Amino acid sequence: MLFRSLLWLLTIPMSMALFAVIPRLVPPTISSLSTQSSSSKLMTGFSENVRLDEFAPVLQSDDLVLNVRAIDGWGHPASLPDDFLWRGMVFTQYLNRAWNATPPYELQGSVRTWPETPPSVSSAVVRFYVDQETPTDNTVISPNGLLWARCNQTDYVAAYAAPDDRVKLLGRRRADEPRRRTLSFLMFAERESAARELKASRETSQTYLSLASTMPPGFAKLRELGTRLTAGLPSDDVDGRIRRIEEYLSDPKEFHYTLDLQRKDSMIDPVEDFLFNTRQGHCEYFASASALLLRSVGVPARVVNGFKGAEWNELAGVYQVRQRMAHSWVEAYVRGNWRTVDP
């Protein structure tokens, strides 16, 4: 009896240490441009839409979104690169200074589940065990290059939403279910190097590509810039157009990354204000400018919202993704594939 009491006392410090290194998960739905009630500041984090018409200094949230274990094809812990991408929402429509999700009619009938059996393990495939709090908008954060997913809770199903190439959570929250509940997922994905060029799903219709090609009204200066940047290239050189636009926006002599958002001309669209006036902004501005410049020269492009990177927690033995790692990037449609463009 004395031994049991001593053993119980010894477990208390260990439990406290694990609680410290594995903090409570929060749902990945905090808008990166939501004004905080106590100040005029904005907070970084994953968002189910991208609005570019709110301006204030941006604070960085340290809230935990995902706990992840990654296993390689030989059954060993897999190391993740610093720029590893975690996929969330996909946006195809830019209108009224905001990116909006693909209309439901375009996704109707294209949400499907994976086969019962996961893919074969190989050196090109990584197995992920992911813990995420129940998403309020049914968006599941997944590794880029996802091949297969399953929710381990039987009352929910992880489904593939093509042609957006993202994961939706199917199922209805029970009346007696806690408001905050952590769900566990098993996922298989390509190694990140291969995932930078995703094969477009069979549901990628001409209507969908038309959405990803549509320019909003106006934007004369942006169109002129796109034409100037790609001048002299053959009409079929899609790779050259992508490369020139990405190099232009990646040039530190031209543009600077900042979380201190400023406007110089509130009468014009924020993307043009970024390109021609302030020339500084965060990832949502770089992604928006990339997508619209690509569209202006005939390359279908969409914006993806998710996360970039993960921190290794040695004591817990997991990778952790936090709200401050929220990131937006672009995917350009090239010969049946969606290629990552991330200036």
Side-chain angles (χ1 to χ4, degrees):
M1 189 71 175
L2 178 61
F3 174 76
R4 288 185 179 179
S5 300
L6 289 172
L7 185 62
W8 179 81
L9 288 172
L10 286 172
T11 63
I12 294 177
M14 183 178 298
S15 300
M16 293 177 66
L18 286 174
F19 181 82
V21 298
I22 310 180
R24 186 180 182 87
L25 292 164
V26 299
T29 53
I30 298 174
S31 170
S32 58
L33 293 175
S34 61
T35 304
Q36 303 302 295
S37 58
S38 60
S39 71
S40 61
K41 299 184 185 300
L42 308 174
M43 184 69 72
T44 57
F46 175 77
S47 172
E48 59 188 33
N49 58 29
V50 175
R51 297 204 59 85
L52 300 177
D53 56 358
E54 297 179 275
F55 291 86
V58 178
L59 301 176
Q60 290 192 304
S61 169
D62 208 41
D63 287 340
L64 184 64
V65 176
L66 302 176
N67 277 324
V68 180
R69 287 193 299 124
I71 308 297
D72 65 19
W74 294 275
H76 304 135
S79 60
L80 302 181
D82 293 338
D83 60 350
F84 191 89
L85 295 174
W86 303 91
R87 195 177 191 82
M89 286 292 295
V90 177
F91 307 102
T92 53
Q93 292 184 305
Y94 186 76
L95 192 63
N96 298 326
R97 307 184 176 199
W99 287 98
N100 298 298
T102 303
Y105 67 80
E106 184 56 34
L107 296 178
Q108 190 173 6
S110 64
V111 177
R112 49 187 164 88
T113 56
W114 283 274
E116 191 69 26
T117 306
S120 301
V121 175
S122 70
S123 59
V125 175
V126 178
R127 185 166 72 249
F128 293 88
Y129 298 90
V130 180
D131 291 335
Q132 174 186 328
E133 185 157 318
T134 312
T136 56
D137 60 354
N138 293 331
T139 297
V140 177
I141 306 300
S142 62
N144 210 31
L146 186 70
L147 300 171
W148 187 90
R150 182 186 69 205
C151 181
N152 292 330
Q153 280 69 26
T154 56
D155 44 346
Y156 288 106
V157 174
Y160 177 65
D164 273 350
D165 302 297
R166 64 184 179 92
V167 184
K168 287 175 64 72
L169 191 67
L170 304 182
R172 182 171 295 178
R173 186 187 292 266
R174 301 192 313 272
D176 61 343
E177 183 177 340
R179 187 176 66 86
R180 302 181 67 168
R181 174 187 179 188
T182 298
L183 298 182
S184 298
F185 297 88
L186 173 62
M187 300 179 178
F188 287 72
E190 297 176 291
R191 286 198 170 274
E192 176 67 359
S193 56
R196 291 299 174 119
E197 188 139 346
L198 303 174
K199 183 174 178 58
S201 67
R202 62 176 181 265
E203 290 87 352
T204 305
S205 65
Q206 286 302 313
T207 305
Y208 185 87
L209 291 178
S210 178
L211 284 172
S213 304
T214 300
M215 283 291 295
F219 288 88
K221 287 188 69 175
L222 184 146
R223 293 172 188 268
E224 180 185 340
L225 175 61
T227 300
R228 189 168 69 249
L229 290 174
T230 58
L233 292 174
S235 59
D236 60 347
D237 189 359
V238 178
D239 302 273
R241 279 176 273 174
I242 294 173
R243 183 176 60 254
R244 286 195 181 179
I245 289 171
E246 189 169 23
E247 288 176 351
Y248 176 68
L249 291 170
S250 300
D251 187 350
K253 296 178 182 177
E254 297 285 349
F255 297 96
H256 302 281
Y257 182 90
T258 182
L259 294 177
D260 187 7
L261 302 176
Q262 304 291 335
R263 283 297 298 271
K264 284 194 175 180
D265 188 350
S266 60
M267 301 301 294
I268 65 175
D269 188 273
V271 178
E272 289 199 313
D273 199 32
F274 163 73
L275 282 172
F276 304 111
N277 295 327
T278 67
R279 306 181 77 81
Q280 58 182 8
H282 53 59
C283 60
E284 290 178 350
Y285 286 85
F286 283 89
S288 298
S290 299
L292 293 182
L293 281 170
L294 286 167
R295 290 183 180 192
S296 75
V297 295
V299 180
R302 62 190 186 184
V303 171
V304 184
N305 237 18
F307 297 87
K308 186 175 185 177
E311 296 175 339
W312 174 248
N313 187 314
E314 185 69 37
L315 185 57
V318 296
Y319 281 99
Q320 295 180 327
V321 178
R322 300 181 181 276
Q323 290 281 22
R324 57 178 160 78
M325 300 173 183
H327 187 59
S328 295
W329 66 93
V330 169
E331 290 177 339
Y333 187 76
V334 186
R335 296 181 293 276
N337 294 318
W338 291 103
R339 180 183 301 174
T340 299
V341 180
D342 193 12

